[in-house]
Amino acid sequence: MNKEVFHGTTILALRHKNCVVVAGDGQVTLGNIVTKHKARKVRRIYNDKIITGFAGATADALTLSEKLEKKLERYNGSLTRACVELARDWRTDKYLRRLEAMMIAADTENTYLLSGNGDVIEPDDGVISIGSGSTAAQSAAVALLENTDLAPRKIVEKAMKIAADLCIYTNHHITVEEL
């Protein structure tokens, strides 16, 4: 039996000029069919102090978001500690190991990529992305960052537009959150 799952795709995070911007497109696919155009894959959690974005199987990503919020509550809003503990659980828990999603989480101090392999990655240059359009989005953001004086939000918006122009699993309905 062929089990297809719903997937959410491109998320981009940029930390620049004392702000962090996280954006995600709105497309959700089931196999090779677009099933939703205006999904919200970027949201604020923990009293609006943390921005998360996810790519991958939608239900799995929402499960991870809920688990991250519980970890944030347990560790008094420490994003670093919450991410490390979530990644540890994700890698070792029999149920969580099967989740097919990735997540970016950011607060005013830190930005992390979390994966089911136990990864908690903080970008060196303040730019990180996940999902099928991630290479295009991140490349565009780095190029714009190095070659323009645009505001961080404008850089992210332009980079996501470029990704949507190139990646068939990324659309132009973009959600942007900024701290």
Side-chain angles (χ1 to χ4, degrees), residues 146-157:
E146 293 176 359
N147 295 296
T148 68
D149 289 328
L150 293 172
R153 184 182 185 103
K154 282 291 181 197
I155 290 172
V156 167
E157 289 170 347

Side-chain angles (χ1 to χ4, degrees), residues 34-158:
V34 176
T35 57
K36 187 168 179 80
H37 298 279
K38 296 180 181 179
R40 186 169 174 85
K41 303 173 204 172
V42 173
R43 58 191 64 195
R44 290 175 179 257
I45 61 172
Y46 195 72
N47 302 316
D48 293 338
K49 295 178 182 176
I50 310 283
I51 302 171
T52 62
F54 63 83
T58 306
D60 292 354
L62 293 174
T63 298
L64 289 172
S65 185
E66 290 171 5
K67 296 226 174 262
L68 178 61
E69 191 150 22
K70 287 178 185 174
K71 295 289 184 187
L72 286 163
E73 290 170 9
R74 181 173 181 189
Y75 297 110
N76 300 315
S78 171
L79 182 60
T80 302
R81 181 77 190 269
C83 286
V84 168
E85 293 300 323
L86 176 60
R88 181 180 296 148
D89 289 353
W90 194 355
R91 183 179 173 140
T92 59
D93 184 272
K94 194 175 189 179
Y95 166 74
L96 291 178
R97 240 186 330 216
R98 295 185 178 145
L99 297 181
E100 296 179 14
M102 294 180 83
M103 176 184 288
I104 289 177
D107 64 9
T108 57
E109 303 294 319
N110 305 290
T111 303
Y112 297 112
L113 180 153
L114 290 90
S115 80
N117 295 329
D119 297 321
V120 179
I121 300 168
E122 184 173 22
D124 289 333
D125 60 1
V127 183
I128 199 152
S129 61
I130 56 175
S132 62
S134 65
T135 302
Q138 187 165 339
S139 297
V142 168
L144 290 165
L145 189 62
E146 293 176 359
N147 295 296
T148 68
D149 289 328
L150 293 172
R153 184 182 185 103
K154 282 291 181 197
I155 290 172
V156 167
E157 289 170 347
K158 285 182 176 288

Side-chain angles (χ1 to χ4, degrees), residues 2-13:
N2 184 9
K3 289 185 184 178
E4 293 189 70
V5 294
F6 289 95
H7 287 281
T9 51
T10 306
I11 304 296
L12 173 64

